Amino acid sequence: AVLGSSASSGPYRFSGATLRPPTICWLGINGLELRLPGLTLLIDPCVSRGRASPISNPACVARYIGAADAIFLTHSHWDHLIDVPLICAQTGARVYGSETTLTICRARGGPEAQLTLVGPGQRLDLAAGVAVQVFRSKHKEPVANPGFYTRVPSVLNARPHYLCGDVFAFLFDVG
């Protein structure tokens, strides 16, 4: 499927959103926003910060995430994934991730039509001249909360409930 045309028309935060694409903006932790002409990609977009249980903060998401066509998740820990279902609802972005990632998104109300399972070796054509290659990667050791979900978990109200799942790296080819 070809994505596109969600590039923000105006500034929505203090980052490079006022600059003409292409731009890369660090969102915190492992999060990045890659803005290309007509296409916005997010990688691990966690912008909600708090010391309490992992809860997405709608005000933070609205402030820091303007537009998105696609979201790529390297793994499923809360500090990479917690805001993804809310970002999907706000932007209509498609999520690309592991079975664990998509299962957690389902548990948090992520729309099934926006969830795409990916795995090592896949190459996805996102738009004209934009593709991504998926690679198996590894989390730093020791891995906190290792494990996988194959069914929607009944409880997701603490950081340890966000199991790591498969770990990926993404190579974006922008030509």
Side-chain angles (χ1 to χ4, degrees):
V2 175
L3 306 172
S5 74
S6 79
S8 180
S9 60
Y12 52 87
R13 63 180 191 287
F14 54 84
S15 78
T18 58
L19 302 174
R20 288 186 15 194
T23 63
I24 298 174
C25 178
W26 178 59
L27 298 172
I29 305 176
N30 196 48
L32 294 170
E33 173 198 69
L34 173 59
R35 290 179 62 235
L36 302 168
L39 184 67
T40 301
L41 309 175
L42 303 177
I43 304 163
D44 294 340
C46 177
V47 295
S48 293
R49 305 288 190 270
R51 299 200 186 283
S53 63
I55 297 173
S56 186
N57 181 329
C60 284
V61 171
R63 178 176 179 197
Y64 295 109
I65 305 296
D69 294 296
I71 303 170
F72 293 86
L73 279 299
T74 60
H75 65 285
S76 306
H77 282 148
W78 76 272
D79 58 344
H80 296 251
L81 176 59
I82 191 66
D83 292 322
V84 170
L86 185 55
I87 293 168
C88 284
Q90 178 179 300
T91 67
R94 177 165 293 285
V95 176
Y96 297 89
S98 70
E99 183 174 8
T100 298
T101 293
L102 302 186
T103 300
I104 291 172
C105 285
R106 287 181 190 104
R108 288 290 188 190
E112 190 66 37
Q114 291 170 242
L115 305 178
T116 302
L117 181 66
V118 296
Q122 276 186 282
R123 179 179 168 87
L124 306 164
D125 293 316
L126 302 177
V130 181
V132 62
Q133 180 82 32
V134 183
F135 294 92
R136 182 168 307 285
S137 191
K138 192 171 183 177
H139 196 284
K140 75 171 184 67
E141 298 288 339
V143 177
N145 313 310
F148 305 88
Y149 286 121
T150 56
R151 292 181 297 162
V152 173
S154 58
V155 177
L156 276 174
N157 58 12
R159 293 174 183 185
H161 298 154
Y162 285 75
L163 303 181
C164 185
D166 289 315
V167 182
F168 301 133
F170 302 103
L171 176 63
F172 293 91
D173 181 6
V174 179

